[in-house]
Amino acid sequence: MSDIHLLIVDDDERIRQLLQKFLIRNGFCVTAARDAAHARRLLAGLEFDMIVMDVMMPGEDGVTLTRSLRQTLVTPILLLTAKGETEDRISGLEAGADDYLAKPFEPKELLLRINAILRRVPQPEETATLPKFLHLGDFRYDIERGELWEGDQIVRLTQTEAQLMRIFSATLGATVSRGELVEKLGRDGGQAQERAVDVQITRLRRKFESDPRQPRFLQTVRGAGYMLSPE
């Protein structure tokens, strides 16, 4: 059984049950709601990966519910309707639906549409937990505060040096080109600015490298740029 949880919203009990059985057979976890009010109650307590919803329902219809949900919800929505007219498709999509399928439809087409929408949903990236401090020999850099310390003494950084440390601490172990540094520092491009970055890097190294001419932590990657590699 897949861990993908679908919410089916349809006032027709027969269609609701058919869809539920078909989708469960195809590996989904499925919860069904009989109308918009029922769907709202379920959405208040559960998280769904996708909503498959009929447009023509008594009370609040599917397009109205979609428009309302879109104010707070990014969950993909597929609308089902007996109407195939272009204007109805457009009103559903304008309300925030991700796709639209006109009844009657082949269950296999519904399955293809669901899978296509789920493939488009960006997967949450596993966020690497950044350390609070970077250790650079006798120095430590407080990532959150943007401060460089030697023991209990703060090391004064210029605005540009502070910006460089923020850039490097966000790209640990990765090479950042001179061009990227110029861009992220908000400077105009050009060789003169790249040379100015080289000067700033040299000054920054003097703040924490024991031998700035042979840097241990803020390294030059030949022909590529610079890389910060703390201990």
Side-chain angles (χ1 to χ4, degrees), residues 12-231:
D12 186 322
E13 188 179 356
R14 188 183 62 84
I15 291 175
R16 206 163 60 233
Q17 289 179 350
L18 283 171
L19 288 179
Q20 195 166 15
K21 284 177 185 172
F22 172 73
L23 292 166
I24 287 171
R25 263 203 321 274
N26 280 277
F28 295 101
C29 177
V30 183
T31 299
R34 61 186 168 272
D35 57 21
H38 188 194
R40 283 183 181 280
R41 288 197 297 276
L42 290 167
L43 285 161
L46 294 168
E47 280 194 18
F48 295 93
D49 296 288
M50 189 171 164
I51 302 167
V52 179
M53 178 158 51
D54 189 26
V55 166
M56 304 298 286
M57 293 187 291
E60 190 176 15
D61 65 61
V63 172
T64 309
L65 179 57
T66 297
R67 190 176 291 111
S68 172
L69 293 177
R70 273 293 168 259
Q71 293 172 15
T72 55
L73 209 65
V74 294
T75 306
I77 297 173
L78 172 63
L79 289 179
L80 307 174
T81 182
K83 294 180 178 178
E85 289 88 357
T86 306
E87 63 184 63
D88 295 302
R89 287 202 296 276
I90 289 169
S91 64
L93 295 170
E94 282 179 343
D98 294 79
D99 205 349
Y100 187 104
L101 187 56
K103 294 178 179 178
F105 53 82
E106 288 292 324
K108 190 171 181 183
E109 184 180 0
L110 174 64
L111 190 62
L112 290 170
R113 296 283 186 104
I114 288 171
N115 285 326
I117 291 170
L118 289 171
R119 277 198 302 274
R120 296 201 299 262
V121 176
Q123 296 305 307
E125 292 178 18
E126 285 188 26
T127 50
T129 52
L130 281 173
K132 182 169 167 51
F133 294 102
L134 302 181
H135 295 281
L136 310 160
D138 295 333
F139 296 82
R140 71 183 189 283
Y141 176 70
D142 185 324
I143 293 176
E144 202 173 300
R145 292 176 176 272
E147 293 172 348
L148 184 65
W149 292 80
E150 183 181 16
D152 59 358
Q153 295 293 311
I154 194 164
V155 178
R156 198 183 74 78
L157 296 174
T158 65
Q159 189 180 349
T160 302
E161 289 165 355
Q163 274 183 280
L164 286 169
M165 285 302 293
R166 277 196 292 273
I167 294 164
F168 285 122
S169 63
T171 53
L172 289 178
T175 303
V176 187
S177 72
R178 290 174 174 83
E180 279 179 83
L181 289 171
V182 169
E183 191 180 318
K184 288 179 177 178
L185 289 169
R187 310 285 170 80
D188 294 328
Q191 284 189 329
Q193 286 294 350
E194 289 191 13
R195 283 197 294 274
V197 163
D198 293 340
V199 172
Q200 294 293 343
I201 293 285
T202 301
R203 287 178 180 163
L204 179 57
R205 280 174 173 156
R206 288 182 193 143
K207 299 284 170 86
F208 57 80
E209 296 280 6
S210 54
D211 183 356
R213 287 168 301 178
Q214 293 186 318
R216 247 178 91 195
F217 307 111
L218 185 47
Q219 300 165 6
T220 300
V221 182
R222 193 176 295 280
Y226 297 100
M227 176 173 67
L228 185 66
S229 295
E231 289 176 334

